[in-house]
């Protein structure tokens, strides 16, 4: 990943998690209710940016899914299903682009084929 992609990633991953948490609350109460257009617009915006950074190699369903169709409103549980897979894919992308420093044993982003000074959490997916 390059520096711009890492910056995008650092903004995007919490947005996907926040959307997931918000829709999860709705899904617990009414899993089969449709998401409203206002929320779907933002979910699709987040997914569009996630698709750009994940590319086909990390997208959870590269052939089958890209964005939700606003004419066929998804229900809350469908949105949770997709956001959950995107969270996992983003974490896999992160784990494949970080490295443990041999000098201090902390984890850092590997940016442009160089170990950066941008610290991150240890990997959660191998």
């Amino acid at each position: 990943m390059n520096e711009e992609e890492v910056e995008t990633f650092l903004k995007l991953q919490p947005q996907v998690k926040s959307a997931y948490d918000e829709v999860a609350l709705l899904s617990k109460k009414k899993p089969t209710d449709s998401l409203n257009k206002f929320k779907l617009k933002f979910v699709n915006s987040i997914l569009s940016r996630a698709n750009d950074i994940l590319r086909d190699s990390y997208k959870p369903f590269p052939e089958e899914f890209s964005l939700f169709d606003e004419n066929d409103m998804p229900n809350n549980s469908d949105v949770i299903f997709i956001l959950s897979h995107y969270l996992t894919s983003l974490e896999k992308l992160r784990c494949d682009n970080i490295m443990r420093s041999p000098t201090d044993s902390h984890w850092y982003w590997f940016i442009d084929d160089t170990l950066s000074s941008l610290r991150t959490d240890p990997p959660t997916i191998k």
Side-chain angles (χ1 to χ4, degrees):
M1 293 176 76
N2 62 39
E3 191 170 341
E4 183 180 341
E5 289 170 326
V6 172
E7 287 178 17
T8 299
F9 179 94
L10 293 174
K11 292 177 187 170
L12 185 62
Q13 189 181 36
Q15 288 180 325
V16 175
K17 178 69 171 100
S18 180
Y20 174 88
D21 290 343
E22 179 73 27
V23 180
L25 287 173
L26 298 172
S27 184
K28 282 184 181 177
K29 293 178 183 174
K30 297 180 180 181
T32 58
D33 275 9
S34 295
L35 202 65
N36 68 42
K37 279 193 173 193
F38 179 79
K39 288 183 178 115
L40 186 60
K41 176 179 140 189
F42 287 100
V43 167
N44 274 340
S45 172
I46 291 168
L47 292 177
S48 176
R49 287 181 280 131
N51 288 335
D52 289 344
I53 199 167
L54 292 171
R55 301 186 188 107
D56 282 352
S57 56
Y58 284 95
K59 279 173 63 175
F61 308 105
E63 300 294 324
E64 299 85 5
F65 180 83
S66 182
L67 297 174
F68 288 107
D69 182 353
E70 292 183 9
N71 297 318
D72 185 24
M73 297 297 285
N75 67 41
N76 293 328
S77 65
D78 293 340
V79 176
I80 287 298
F81 175 80
I82 291 296
L83 290 174
S84 172
H85 282 277
Y86 271 80
L87 281 172
T88 301
S89 294
L90 286 167
E91 182 59 11
K92 176 66 176 150
L93 175 65
R94 187 186 74 86
C95 292
D96 288 349
N97 287 280
I98 62 175
M99 180 178 274
R100 182 181 236 158
S101 169
T103 57
D104 67 8
S105 296
H106 292 294
W107 289 85
Y108 296 89
W109 282 92
F110 201 69
I111 300 174
D112 293 328
D113 300 325
T114 304
L115 191 62
S116 74
S117 60
L118 185 59
R119 204 166 146 182
T120 187
D121 293 329
T124 60
I125 299 174
K126 301 237 176 193

